[in-house]
Amino acid sequence: MLHPLIWVHDRLTDLGFQLGKLCLGIILFSYSFEVVSRYFFNAPTWWADEAVSYSLCIGCFLMMPHVTREKGHVAVTFLLELMPAQRAKPCYWLIYLLGFLVCGAAFWINLDENIRQFVRDVHLMKVKPIPKYYISVFITFGFGMSALHFLRFLDYRKIEIDQRPAGGESYE
Amino acid sequence: MVWWAILLIGLTLLLACFLSGMPIFIAFLLINIVGVLIILGQPGFGMVANSIFETTNFADLSAIPLFIMMGELLFRSGSIDILFDSVDKLVGRVKGRQYVLCIALSTVFGALSGAAMGVAAMMARTLFPGMLDRGYDARMSTGAILAGASLAPIIPPSVLVIIIGTLANVSIAGLLIAGILPGLMLAGMFLVYTLTRVRLNPKLAAEDTATSTAEVTFAEKVRAVVRVLPFAMIIFCVMGLILLGVATPSESAATGVIGALATAAYYRKLDWKMFSESLASAAFIASMILVIMASSKMFSQLLAFTGSTRELTQVVADLGLSAHVMLFIMMLIPFILCMFIDQVALMLVVIPIYQPLIRSLEFDPIWFWLLMLLNVTVGGITPPFGYTIFAFKGATDRVSLQQVFSATWPFVGIFLIGMLVIAAFPPIATYLPTLL
């Protein structure tokens, strides 16, 4: 049976994945509504741009732990692929360790900023100002959860050499 | 520490991190966090957090997931198969017609998809086996498909344009529209090249010289045109609305998605599972790109903070090199680097350094960044590291990676000639944006 903490981590990652999809749905709806409203009814919305920018930021970082779990982050791995498996394995381990440390540091930096924004009551200067930490807390979530996924990859026995640490998808 | 040492050390460490195989966003974050700690100390960490927030909280970048989703909907729904059949019917009986079909399809797909990988993989699965079965030359077929797929980031919609436009602070609408004529010109050059090669060596298209394809009647051709009309609506939703000034690029991306949904529904290929999978895939890829962009932002701010970019601009100005030589150098560096590292990562490093140089050299930004777009796009098919190559090879096992590598070089050459033509005649890139 999976350790309860691992189970919780996976379910939170799944939830982030589904909500990340929802955010993209909100972006699609908001801009479609805006175009129709503006050009057919001459009634531009005040909220579409804000909904889109917030959804983009929130969706990106809600989806991030799932991307990390799937080892979907872009990486230039051709040198690692040229290595014999026995040499590549410790390299992958080091990359995962670095991933954990860097994402952990980014988590801490963003958490610190969230607390600062909360204490100083920082608001976003938009048509309808909202506390900044409402949005930026998702960045902290994304890095924190990703750090935990990198931590879980550190189990040396489970490192599979045919699985690249990243680069499964691209975007050119 | 002097500015050039900071710049040199920063860039060397960053490139070393990229080549180490670590995720690109980790490489950027590592260098940025360490850099901030050394240069600004712990109080500078707030800037790191803000740079991440500002990058992803920017509505213009929403075009990235939306353009990806548009392509995903069309590919996953199978609507694209109808387009495939129709274009197949419309291509006449010419020697090497499969090459013509390949390039014609790529050009149309380029106007429907913002990413080369999807087109390359789709063509490798559908068109490529047929080309080989008909006795077409494997190397030439591979090259034609890869080159054709590379039109996708040039002809709007284009994910790369959104990234370049955002980073370089250039009109995204202008840059998108600027890609139309160069994309069509390159498609024409690919056609001329392949047909000339077939004429000189008929064995490159063996079957067409022996047995020809079935005759397609005029009525069938008319039906084929009618069947693809919904795709014209999608192209209008993206390019038309931008050109008419009705929608911003991000809004046109959303209307393009609606157009893709309507097209899938029209062909009775729309279902919830397919829609959900397209959403998931687009959100996944967009997250991957945006996390890299967010992680890299601080790098350019650090360069600016240390005065490195300002000093570099001054040094280049003092060199007194002609604009042509500078353009050549500025294009050569990314061309070589793109053989080894990811295009977006490269742009994130290069753009903040190039921006002041472009201003001091008084280059037209649309023209210059379009040349850069072509440069990084061709990076997708230059061995040994190229996503378009990997996507193609991942979808077929009928050619070796070595064959794929050798197949791309003639088409890389055509791309370079195309870039020279655009460099010499800027209106090819700059004329359409002036109509906006």
Side-chain angles (χ1 to χ4, degrees), chain A residues 21 38-39 74 132 171-172, chain B residues 115 246 251 342 344 387-388:
Chain A
K21 281 163 61 180
R38 193 170 64 219
Y39 288 98
V74 184
K132 193 173 179 181
Y171 41 74
E172 302 151 53
Chain B
V246 171
E251 289 168 351
D342 174 70
V344 171
Y387 282 119
T388 319

Side-chain angles (χ1 to χ4, degrees), chain B residues 50-62:
Chain B
N50 270 320
S51 70
I52 294 170
F53 180 85
E54 297 300 334
T55 309
T56 48
N57 199 45
F58 187 48
D60 285 4
L61 288 176
S62 62

Side-chain angles (χ1 to χ4, degrees), chain A residues 17-18 20-22 24-25 27-28 31-32 34-35 38-39 49-50 52-68 70-81 91-92 95 98-100 102-103 105-106 108-110 112-113 116-117 124 126 132 135-136 139 143 146 150 164-172, chain B residues 18-26 29-30 33 42 45-46 48-50 52-54 56-62 65-66 69 114-117 153 159-160 163 245-248 250-251 254-255 257-258 261 275-276 279-285 287-292 294-295 340-345 377 380 384-388 390:
Chain A
F17 170 65
Q18 294 301 337
K21 281 163 61 180
L22 179 68
L24 180 52
I27 291 172
L28 175 61
Y31 267 156
S32 307
E34 166 68 15
V35 172
R38 193 170 64 219
Y39 288 98
D49 251 356
E50 291 180 22
V52 167
S53 52
Y54 296 158
S55 299
L56 188 70
C57 181
I58 293 170
C60 167
F61 287 98
L62 279 173
M63 186 59 84
M64 186 183 172
H66 175 70
V67 178
T68 309
E70 298 298 315
K71 295 176 177 143
H73 289 294
V74 184
V76 183
T77 54
F78 70 91
L79 288 179
L80 283 173
E81 284 159 21
C91 293
Y92 280 123
I95 287 170
L98 216 54
F100 166 66
V102 170
C103 281
W108 176 74
I109 288 168
N110 281 286
D112 198 44
E113 187 63 13
R116 192 190 68 81
Q117 288 161 359
L124 285 165
K126 300 273 186 177
K132 193 173 179 181
I135 310 297
S136 62
I139 300 176
F143 280 114
S146 291
F150 278 117
R164 296 192 295 168
E169 305 272 351
S170 190
Y171 41 74
E172 302 151 53
Chain B
F18 288 164
L19 291 173
S20 74
M22 71 173 71
I24 301 284
F25 87 97
I26 296 286
L29 272 180
L30 178 66
I33 291 173
Q42 203 174 323
F45 284 158
V48 177
N50 270 320
I52 294 170
F53 180 85
E54 297 300 334
T56 48
N57 199 45
F58 187 48
D60 285 4
L61 288 176
S62 62
L66 292 171
M69 190 176 174
M117 272 186 80
V159 172
L160 276 180
I163 298 173
V246 171
T248 64
S250 314
E251 289 168 351
T255 53
V257 173
I258 299 296
L261 283 168
F275 176 70
S276 175
L279 260 183
S281 183
F284 186 103
I285 298 171
S287 169
M288 200 173 78
I289 299 170
L290 290 170
V291 167
I292 296 174
S295 305
F340 307 100
I341 65 172
D342 174 70
Q343 291 103 315
V344 171
T377 299
F385 183 84
Y387 282 119
T388 319
F390 297 153

Side-chain angles (χ1 to χ4, degrees), chain A residues 110-127:
Chain A
N110 281 286
L111 183 66
D112 198 44
E113 187 63 13
N114 294 153
I115 294 167
R116 192 190 68 81
Q117 288 161 359
F118 176 75
V119 171
R120 295 192 181 178
D121 197 24
V122 179
H123 278 60
L124 285 165
M125 297 304 289
K126 300 273 186 177
V127 179

